[in-house]
Amino acid sequence: MSWGTELWDQFDNLEKHTQWGIEVLEKYIKFVKERAEIEINYAKQLRNLSKKYQTKKNSKEEEESKYTSCKAFQTTLNEMNDYAGQHEVISENMTSQITAELTRFVQELKQERKSNFHEGRKAQQHIETCWKQLESSKRRFERECKEADRAQQYFERMDADINVTKADVEKARQQAQIRHQMSDDSKGDYSSVLQKFNREQHEHYFSHIPNIFQKLQDMEERRIGRMGESLKTYADIDRQVVPIIGKCLDGITKSAESIDEKQDSQTVIDSFKSGFEPPGDVDFEDFTQSIMKRTVSDNSLSNAKTDGKSEPKISGKSRGKLWPFIKKNKGATPEDFSNLPPEQRRKKLQQKVDEINKEIQKEIDQRDALTKMKDVYTKNPQMGDAASVAQKLIEIGNTIEKLRIEAQKFESWLAEVEGRLPARNDSSRRQSGLYETQNTPTVNNCAQDRESPDGSYTEDQSQETEVKVTPTEFDDDFDDEETLPTIGTCKALYAFDGENEGTISVTEGEVLSVIEEDKGDGWTRIRRSEEEEGYVPTSYIEVYLDRNAKGAMTYI
């Protein structure tokens, strides 16, 4: 399991992933820092709260502190003060043992990551330079060969012409020899540069890049391990103060248990007892000897009835707002998962095939069970109707057939991804240089595609050249250009549906004329007849260019 061997062409993705890893670590540092701030603020608020309710000296509260309940409350306030101190300890330890340490570690990771990717970009630029030198040497060799061929033809014409002097013929012969010698020299130079490039390329992909990616893998694994250790420290910091916090809580519990309601009641008695005896009975006084006449007048009291009713006020209910949940309309995923990278697409297709096969097996099991049931019903009609089971079997058969067609469709896509379909030769693959998509063709820089499908070695985004092929561009090409001559032929390896304007549909095995070679954008211009021409993906055809055609270069 090595990044250098498994992810040799994922330079850009590794750059993003390692940056994401550092951002995760920085996010965790920020979390711990905010937790430390919460702890210190919580401790401060607890201390202020404890101080607020402490008994004030030379006040009535000091006199009331003789009760056991008040003493327990004061003990609780003191324990809460110590409790706040432990939260201050948590804040200090998290700041020193996690925040400060990880901040230094992140700075080291950033510097190491920057150095590794700088080295990787240098390696990518070096191999790109070697590739350009190879292309230049090849073009020079081709040019010298053409010049030598023209010089040879000129000499042969001069030699065959009886009207030409011997001196002119000798001069033409010498010129032809010089051109042939230059052609041989450029051939040797091209061969030497090619061998050097192959060595450099092998060293790049099997030594330099694997070593750089191994360093990145080691760096990422150190980051992950360090974060795990930090999380343990995070828990241990809390765990270390738990015993002391427990003692504070035990002190509060002990103070609560020390409260004695009987003692407090006795204290109230001792504080407010007057010492006097309760008063005795009141003596009876008899006033019957004095006759007194009393006049009693009846008075009537009429109470006016009031029918007034008080109506209760009914508070209106506030109506809550209804917030609709609106889902963002994400782009529909293609059925063949062509929007995914090859390996991810293969996994998705394999998963889809497995799911369909499970459904097929489920239907087959159900069909077998119904078949047995039908046989039983046929032999014993009293147990059930065989016709109803037969109808169900027909439906299951149709379902199985549909599932098999679906499975074949996904298996064909899977076979294409896994390379079980006929593939192009290596030289044709090198010319195409990018992953093709039928719906959204993208033109990339040739050097980028030569080195990596995603152009990951480019240090700045502005250095990348990316042009979307639009129908307007195709229309302009056909309107402005004259009829192009044929420079070769091609054979369609796969069928291609030319849905976009400017493209042309081909069928597998069809032979067509090539009128414009691949310029490094992954598209070749072909012609079926004088009035029907367009572009097809280079990876879908095998090209046979004519050596004598102007500007042509053989792909195979």
Side-chain angles (χ1 to χ4, degrees):
M1 184 184 64
S2 173
W3 288 8
T5 56
E6 302 294 334
L7 303 175
W8 63 272
D9 59 341
Q10 297 299 313
F11 188 95
D12 189 55
N13 285 332
L14 288 181
E15 187 175 19
K16 293 178 181 177
H17 177 77
T18 51
Q19 177 62 31
W20 169 82
I22 291 177
E23 289 174 357
V24 169
L25 201 55
E26 290 177 334
K27 185 177 181 181
Y28 171 67
I29 293 173
K30 185 178 179 181
F31 160 76
V32 176
K33 187 180 295 184
E34 292 183 4
R35 164 74 192 276
E37 292 175 358
I38 290 173
E39 292 292 341
I40 197 69
N41 291 333
Y42 180 55
K44 182 179 179 181
Q45 291 177 1
L46 283 179
R47 289 189 182 278
N48 292 336
L49 183 65
S50 177
K51 182 179 180 181
K52 177 180 178 181
Y53 287 94
Q54 286 286 350
T55 301
K56 298 178 176 61
K57 295 182 178 180
N58 302 323
S59 65
K60 184 179 180 181
E61 291 179 356
E62 190 174 11
E63 297 177 359
E64 295 172 349
S65 61
K66 56 188 175 181
Y67 297 100
T68 57
S69 58
C70 292
K71 291 179 180 179
F73 179 53
Q74 291 301 316
T75 303
T76 299
L77 294 177
N78 294 333
E79 294 293 345
M80 289 306 297
N81 198 50
D82 296 337
Y83 186 94
Q86 297 311 306
H87 285 278
E88 291 174 345
V89 171
I90 292 175
S91 177
E92 293 172 0
N93 290 341
M94 285 187 174
T95 301
S96 61
Q97 298 180 26
I98 297 180
T99 304
E101 292 293 330
L102 285 185
T103 300
R104 287 193 294 269
F105 180 69
V106 165
Q107 295 301 321
E108 294 172 1
L109 283 183
K110 286 182 177 180
Q111 188 64 31
E112 183 179 354
R113 175 181 174 277
K114 181 180 179 181
S115 175
N116 288 330
F117 279 106
H118 178 70
E119 186 178 353
R121 290 190 184 93
K122 285 180 60 179
Q124 294 281 18
Q125 291 171 359
H126 175 70
I127 197 68
E128 179 187 355
T129 301
C130 292
W131 169 254
K132 290 179 179 178
Q133 291 175 354
L134 176 63
E135 286 292 299
S136 175
S137 176
K138 182 169 64 175
R139 286 194 298 269
R140 185 167 60 252
F141 172 53
E142 181 183 12
R143 185 172 60 252
E144 294 295 340
C145 287
K146 290 180 179 179
E147 292 293 335
D149 186 53
R150 283 196 292 268
Q152 181 65 29
Q153 292 177 2
Y154 177 76
F155 164 69
E156 292 174 357
R157 287 197 306 271
M158 295 289 287
D159 187 51
D161 192 353
I162 59 176
N163 298 322
V164 179
T165 63
K166 187 176 181 180
D168 292 336
V169 173
E170 182 65 20
K171 182 178 179 182
R173 185 183 63 80
Q174 293 177 358
Q175 185 67 22
Q177 290 178 349
I178 292 173
R179 288 296 180 182
H180 279 293
Q181 182 63 38
M182 293 175 64
S183 175
D184 292 339
D185 293 342
S186 62
K187 179 180 180 180
D189 180 64
Y190 170 63
S191 177
S192 175
V193 173
L194 178 61
Q195 293 176 2
K196 178 183 176 182
F197 172 77
N198 288 333
R199 288 196 303 269
E200 292 288 347
Q201 182 176 246
H202 186 275
E203 190 75 9
H204 176 80
Y205 288 111
F206 293 94
S207 179
H208 293 327
I209 292 299
N211 291 337
I212 294 172
F213 283 5
Q214 185 62 44
K215 293 178 183 178
L216 292 173
Q217 183 178 353
D218 295 339
M219 180 194 74
E220 182 68 1
E221 290 174 356
R222 286 202 314 273
R223 177 194 69 80
I224 296 171
R226 189 64 174 270
M227 187 168 181
E229 294 173 359
S230 180
L231 289 172
K232 291 181 181 178
T233 304
Y234 178 85
D236 290 337
I237 289 174
D238 264 357
R239 189 176 289 111
Q240 289 170 2
V241 301
V242 166
I244 303 176
I245 291 177
K247 290 181 179 179
C248 294
L249 298 177
D250 290 340
I252 295 174
T253 302
K254 187 177 180 180
S255 66
E257 294 173 351
S258 67
I259 295 177
D260 188 348
E261 56 272 14
K262 297 297 183 183
Q263 181 180 343
D264 283 356
S265 297
Q266 186 60 44
T267 302
V268 172
I269 292 174
D270 295 338
S271 299
F272 300 105
K273 184 179 179 180
S274 64
F276 294 112
E277 292 292 333
D281 295 336
V282 178
D283 294 334
F284 178 79
E285 296 182 15
D286 189 5
F287 300 101
T288 57
Q289 295 178 0
S290 301
I291 299 174
M292 300 178 65
K293 293 182 179 179
R294 298 182 179 181
T295 304
V296 178
S297 62
D298 297 328
N299 295 322
S300 61
L301 179 62
S302 61
N303 296 326
K305 293 182 179 181
T306 60
D307 295 330
K309 296 181 180 180
S310 61
E311 296 181 356
K313 292 183 180 179
I314 300 175
S315 59
K317 294 181 180 179
S318 61
R319 299 178 64 184
K321 293 182 179 179
L322 180 62
W323 296 93
F325 296 95
I326 302 175
K327 264 190 174 182
K328 292 184 178 179
N329 184 18
K330 297 182 179 179
T333 304
E335 187 181 11
D336 60 347
F337 304 107
S338 58
N339 61 320
L340 299 176
E343 182 61 18
Q344 299 297 325
R345 184 186 179 196
R346 184 191 66 79
K347 293 179 181 179
K348 286 286 188 181
L349 290 172
Q350 185 64 56
Q351 181 182 356
K352 189 69 176 178
V353 169
D354 293 341
E355 291 176 358
I356 296 175
N357 287 335
K358 287 181 181 179
E359 293 180 10
I360 293 175
Q361 187 59 44
K362 183 179 178 181
E363 295 292 334
I364 290 175
D365 293 341
Q366 187 177 358
R367 183 185 63 183
D368 295 342
L370 288 175
T371 302
K372 293 178 182 179
M373 186 182 295
K374 179 184 177 183
D375 294 340
V376 172
Y377 289 169
T378 303
K379 295 177 182 179
N380 303 287
Q382 68 277 8
M383 296 183 66
D385 185 10
S388 62
V389 178
Q391 181 63 30
K392 184 66 176 177
L393 283 173
I394 294 174
E395 295 177 1
I396 292 178
N398 294 335
T399 302
I400 292 175
E401 185 62 26
K402 291 179 182 178
L403 289 173
R404 282 177 176 166
I405 294 174
E406 189 78 5
Q408 289 175 0
K409 180 174 63 175
F410 282 96
E411 285 174 353
S412 64
W413 287 332
L414 180 60
E416 178 184 352
V417 174
E418 291 179 344
R420 284 180 274 156
L421 293 178
R424 299 186 63 205
N425 54 49
D426 293 340
S427 60
S428 298
R429 291 182 184 277
R430 169 163 286 180
Q431 287 298 324
S432 62
L434 49 78
Y435 298 109
E436 307 290 343
T437 56
Q438 295 184 12
N439 295 330
T440 57
T442 304
V443 181
N444 285 337
N445 181 279
C446 181
Q448 293 172 343
D449 296 330
R450 173 62 188 81
E451 301 305 331
S452 176
D454 54 3
S456 55
Y457 63 85
T458 304
E459 184 171 7
D460 192 350
Q461 187 70 24
S462 64
Q463 296 178 0
E464 298 181 357
T465 304
E466 185 172 331
V467 182
K468 295 290 183 180
V469 179
T470 60
T472 304
E473 293 174 351
F474 285 120
D475 293 341
D476 293 342
D477 290 341
F478 290 127
D479 292 341
D480 298 339
E481 294 180 1
E482 298 178 355
T483 303
L484 297 177
T486 300
I487 61 174
T489 60
C490 67
K491 179 181 179 182
L493 299 175
Y494 316 108
F496 173 70
D497 296 329
E499 297 178 353
N500 294 334
E501 290 189 44
T503 61
I504 183 172
S505 301
V506 296
T507 59
E508 183 177 352
E510 186 178 1
V511 178
L512 306 103
S513 301
V514 178
I515 58 175
E516 185 177 332
E517 61 183 352
D518 188 349
K519 302 299 184 181
D521 57 5
W523 293 85
T524 301
R525 191 169 175 181
I526 64 173
R527 178 187 296 142
R528 180 178 286 109
S529 62
E530 292 300 328
E531 297 180 355
E532 189 176 4
E533 61 182 46
Y535 288 87
V536 295
T538 306
S539 61
Y540 279 59
I541 59 175
E542 190 166 18
V543 181
Y544 308 90
L545 294 183
D546 185 1
R547 287 182 177 272
N548 296 327
K550 184 177 181 181
M553 182 172 62
T554 305
Y555 284 9
I556 61 170

